Amino acid sequence: MTDQVANTTEPAEVKEIRPSALREFWYYFSENRGAVIGMWVFLGFAFLAVFGPLIAPYDPTEQFRDHILQPPFWQEGGSWAFPLGTDPLGRDMLSRLINGARYSFFVGIVVVSVAASGGIIIGLLSGFAPKIIDTIIMRVMDIILAFPSLLLALVLVAILGPSLTNAMIAIAIVFQPHYVRLTRASVLAERQKDYVTSARVAGAGKSRLMFITVLPNCLAPIIVQGALSFSTAILDAAALGFLGMGAQPPTPEWGTMLAEAREFILRAWWVVTFPGLAILVTVLAINLMGDGLRDALDPKLKRS
Amino acid sequence: MLRFLLSKLATFVPTFIGVTLISFMFIRVLPGDPIIVMAGERGMTEERYQEMVVKLGFDKPVIEQYWSYLTGVLQGDLGESFITKKPVWDEFFALFPATLELSICAMIFAIVLGLPAGVIAAVNRGKFFDRALMSSALIGYSMPIFWWALLLIIVFSGNLGWTPVSGRISLMFFFDDVTGFMLIDSLLSGQKGAFASAVHHLVLPTIVLGTIPLAVIARQTRSAMLEVLGEDYIRTARAKGLAPARINGLHALRNALIPVVTVIGLSVGTLLAGAILTETIFSWPGIGKWMVDSIFRRDYPVVQGGLLMIAVIVMIVNLTVDLLYGAINPKIRRRS
């Protein structure tokens, strides 16, 4: 009976509410100019990640033996054939940078989805489980959080063997506890509320309570955390690549490119400057966007 | 207070046991046999292999192995390095002062610049200074510090030639370790120019390691200040006609400091993680570089011991911050 009522009334309500909720979100989000700029940069980055190989002028691993360490076009000796110069093996910097977007984007997506989905499920369980299980789960998370994230990721990669996939797994494991804690905290707050009690009284089962009643109301802080850990994941994967523990050469991953360029820093500034700049711009754009998301989704967290 | 203390310790002990369990497991989940890795390319005879198995205790049940590991750890026995054959404990404490010195300098750098930046931004909310400072803070916060280090090396060491690229002091100076802190030891040695050389070597690593804490502190100070500036007692102070500098500096900042101090305490983990990158780039002979080198050399006892020591340090610092916070703020004490 209740289900039927719900079924007949819901669609009409959804039609009315959804667009205005989205509009409301956009209203708050677009008030923050930095966030909108960040979003456009991020969309550009996503575009490069998807279509990079089609746009890049050359293959990222193609070596032009006659053009080793050629400077960018505005410097003496540079040419428009290689607008951002070439690296020590004569590969086109621009093509490598464009192709690199794909790896960083991939890292962000995979790490955030693995860490968030695992963390949400564990957090929900922890919030609904008996106290003893909750305590055990939270202690395990405390243990993981006791290790500095980059160090733990580094050691995990040392166990699994250096590669981009293993770096992503390691970073996702390290990030997971944040989602668990966040989800659990919001679950505990939501569980007290009347609508949850009424759902329980109406006979909703545990899994329905967890995933359909409570979870949607806990999503706002998780989405914000998702944006922030997207950027941290890119930074950490680049750091692992830089230490030789992430993507392996000749992969045009930005951190790995920096590691390869290290010995040339005093001779060829461009091989060092551009990959780092690409990381910085991407991470900055995502962080700007994350700040805007937080302001728009979570008025409680709003930075005055 | 006693109950608060006990409740904090009650979470500390199981976490500590868990951390030892993880570092214990580390050497056992590695692909390949650690004893064979230890033998290196020379290999070893079957007899010697069996001898090593017994020596390292691999023939006993896992629980017994863990128990002897745990009791060893509690007595400061972290095993021996495969490469140098020295106790890991001794190596750790020989290198730790270098990391500590760098971290303290980075923290001072971050606090000295971050606090005023946050206050200035909050007081000038929405104006040019606020925007400029907060944009810089966000850039600092988004900075890949390994790249930032390379840029600073290009500019200050390469183009300007102001600072050295690696190490803690110029090779011209030689003196004994007294405290392990190069700044103090170089002064104690009384050699002319030694202290200046130590400072020169410290500048770039300090800036690199301090950048992210600086950005975090500036952002946190700003938002804490903004919250406090909206309080009634600030309005009262204004109405009394106190000078703005006195209000901002004394009344507001003091109350805004509590969350900032927490952030400072909790960024110790960030500093140690940052030290891994910073020390590797500047060849700074501290814990971070030691860990990375050991990972590459497959010196597993060192990685295991270092991992445990760093986690324990982070835990102790976090516990101290919690306890201090509880001591200052009775509300927190009662909540738990």
Side-chain angles (χ1 to χ4, degrees):
Chain A
M1 172 64 197
T2 40
D3 265 322
Q4 248 181 356
V5 174
N7 277 342
T8 46
T9 50
E10 240 173 37
E13 264 178 23
V14 165
K15 258 181 205 161
E16 269 177 54
I17 289 168
R18 283 255 166 91
S20 78
L22 195 66
R23 208 175 301 147
E24 190 192 331
F25 164 76
W26 181 249
Y27 173 78
Y28 283 113
F29 186 79
S30 59
E31 266 200 340
N32 185 336
R33 227 178 340 143
V36 177
I37 297 172
M39 189 194 70
W40 283 113
V41 174
F42 179 73
L43 288 178
F45 165 64
F47 179 80
L48 284 184
V50 176
F51 298 106
L54 302 175
I55 303 167
Y58 307 98
D59 184 275
T61 51
E62 193 179 353
Q63 302 181 3
F64 299 92
R65 291 284 180 188
D66 306 334
H67 301 275
I68 285 171
L69 283 181
Q70 186 174 313
F73 70 88
W74 62 86
Q75 275 205 337
E76 211 183 318
S79 78
W80 272 104
F82 305 102
L84 296 182
T86 58
D87 74 356
L89 293 175
R91 295 173 295 196
D92 180 38
M93 285 297 290
L94 181 65
S95 307
R96 287 179 72 71
L97 288 173
I98 292 176
N99 278 282
R102 172 166 285 195
Y103 296 95
S104 289
F105 191 75
F106 190 55
V107 165
I109 295 274
V110 171
V111 167
V112 170
S113 32
V114 171
S117 53
I120 289 171
I121 291 174
I122 299 175
L124 275 172
L125 283 177
S126 186
F128 276 92
K131 186 138 195 296
I132 175 85
I133 296 177
D134 177 39
T135 312
I136 294 173
I137 293 179
M138 292 324 286
R139 278 299 88 71
V140 173
M141 296 305 135
D142 281 352
I143 293 166
I144 301 179
L145 286 173
F147 298 96
S149 65
L150 184 66
L151 177 67
L152 189 56
L154 196 61
V155 170
L156 284 173
V157 174
I159 295 173
L160 299 168
S163 78
L164 190 63
T165 320
N166 291 342
M168 288 192 294
I169 295 172
I171 297 170
I173 292 176
V174 173
F175 282 7
Q176 184 134 301
H178 297 285
Y179 289 94
V180 175
R181 283 189 156 186
L182 210 54
T183 313
R184 176 176 171 274
S186 355
V187 167
L188 290 184
E190 291 296 321
R191 264 184 75 181
Q192 313 291 335
K193 294 191 179 161
D194 289 344
Y195 76 94
V196 182
T197 315
S198 75
R200 191 181 297 130
V201 172
K206 261 242 154 99
S207 57
R208 188 185 169 88
L209 273 182
M210 276 160 69
F211 290 98
I212 299 177
T213 315
V214 170
L215 181 60
N217 294 298
C218 302
L219 280 180
I222 296 171
I223 293 173
V224 175
Q225 176 68 27
L228 294 178
S229 53
F230 199 105
S231 61
T232 325
I234 292 179
L235 272 182
D236 279 4
L240 287 176
F242 181 75
L243 290 172
M245 284 293 186
Q248 297 297 308
T251 313
E253 198 270 328
W254 293 334
T256 312
M257 285 170 70
L258 272 175
E260 283 180 86
R262 248 182 92 180
E263 40 188 311
F264 299 93
I265 55 174
L266 296 181
R267 270 205 285 150
W269 59 268
W270 58 93
V271 290
V272 177
T273 311
F274 294 131
L277 200 60
I279 302 173
L280 175 62
V281 169
T282 312
V283 171
L284 186 60
I286 298 169
N287 283 343
L288 279 170
M289 208 169 70
D291 277 2
L293 276 178
R294 182 183 49 193
D295 292 355
L297 287 176
D298 208 341
K300 269 176 291 176
L301 285 174
K302 209 166 176 180
R303 275 184 313 154
S304 44
Chain B
M1 188 65 201
L2 189 69
R3 247 185 81 194
F4 175 71
L5 196 82
L6 287 178
S7 79
K8 284 290 163 200
L9 281 179
T11 59
F12 183 85
V13 173
T15 316
F16 173 77
I17 292 177
V19 166
T20 55
L21 206 57
I22 287 190
S23 73
F24 169 76
M25 266 155 46
F26 163 73
I27 227 166
R28 280 153 187 89
V29 295
L30 282 168
D33 189 330
I35 298 176
I36 292 184
V37 170
M38 199 165 127
E41 285 169 7
R42 284 168 299 154
M44 58 169 56
T45 60
E46 182 62 24
E47 255 169 50
R48 176 98 180 98
Y49 181 85
Q50 291 306 334
E51 211 175 281
M52 288 306 296
V53 167
V54 174
K55 191 184 164 203
L56 293 173
F58 282 2
D59 55 336
K60 297 193 190 110
V62 177
I63 301 208
E64 208 171 304
Q65 286 182 37
Y66 173 65
W67 181 247
S68 64
Y69 173 72
L70 186 65
T71 47
V73 163
L74 290 173
Q75 294 165 33
D77 174 16
L78 296 172
E80 278 175 13
S81 158
F82 283 168
I83 312 275
T84 61
K85 308 287 180 207
K86 280 192 219 150
V88 174
W89 180 272
D90 295 355
E91 284 205 345
F92 183 88
F93 283 101
L95 295 169
F96 188 59
T99 302
L100 192 61
E101 181 178 44
L102 177 58
S103 305
I104 290 174
C105 290
M107 214 59 218
I108 292 173
F109 166 78
I111 293 171
V112 165
L113 291 180
L115 276 184
V119 172
I120 292 172
V123 172
N124 295 298
R125 183 182 174 187
K127 294 189 196 141
F128 170 76
F129 266 126
D130 182 24
R131 294 225 178 107
L133 284 171
M134 284 306 113
S135 313
S136 327
L138 194 65
I139 292 175
Y141 183 68
S142 311
M143 188 65 88
I145 60 166
F146 44 99
W147 178 64
W148 180 222
L150 296 179
L151 280 193
L152 291 175
I153 289 177
I154 292 182
V155 174
F156 291 104
S157 307
N159 292 355
L160 298 170
W162 287 354
T163 52
V165 187
S166 69
R168 291 178 78 188
I169 195 159
S170 158
L171 293 175
M172 282 156 50
F173 302 102
F174 189 78
F175 39 80
D176 289 331
D177 269 8
V178 183
T179 57
F181 295 105
M182 201 50 90
L183 289 177
I184 300 175
D185 286 356
S186 61
L187 271 183
L188 289 178
S189 77
Q191 292 177 40
K192 217 178 148 216
F195 181 70
S197 169
V199 172
H200 263 120
H201 281 79
L202 198 56
V203 174
L204 288 191
T206 298
I207 295 175
V208 169
L209 189 56
T211 298
I212 290 182
L214 166 61
V216 172
I217 290 173
R219 277 162 65 107
Q220 184 69 49
T221 309
R222 177 181 179 271
S223 64
M225 275 295 279
L226 283 179
E227 207 160 288
V228 172
L229 286 176
E231 299 280 345
D232 287 346
Y233 59 84
I234 297 294
R235 202 186 48 199
T236 311
R238 279 208 192 102
K240 275 199 317 192
L242 288 184
R246 199 177 154 80
I247 298 175
N248 294 332
L250 203 68
H251 295 233
L253 181 59
R254 229 205 240 162
N255 287 293
L257 272 183
I258 297 173
V260 177
V261 169
T262 318
V263 166
I264 293 174
L266 295 181
S267 55
V268 170
T270 325
L271 272 184
L272 287 173
I276 295 172
L277 292 164
T278 313
E279 290 181 1
T280 308
I281 294 170
F282 290 102
S283 305
W284 188 266
I287 301 301
K289 185 171 182 318
W290 178 62
M291 286 294 283
V292 173
D293 289 348
S294 306
I295 286 175
F296 278 104
R297 283 192 223 132
R298 298 174 182 272
D299 194 347
Y300 294 132
V302 169
V303 179
Q304 185 184 33
L307 189 67
L308 178 67
M309 290 303 287
I310 290 174
V312 169
I313 288 173
V314 171
M315 281 168 60
I316 290 175
V317 172
N318 287 356
L319 180 71
T320 318
V321 172
D322 270 2
L323 293 180
L324 283 180
Y325 205 28
I328 306 169
N329 192 344
K331 265 194 267 174
I332 305 274
R333 215 183 308 158
R334 238 167 274 144
R335 203 187 301 155
S336 48

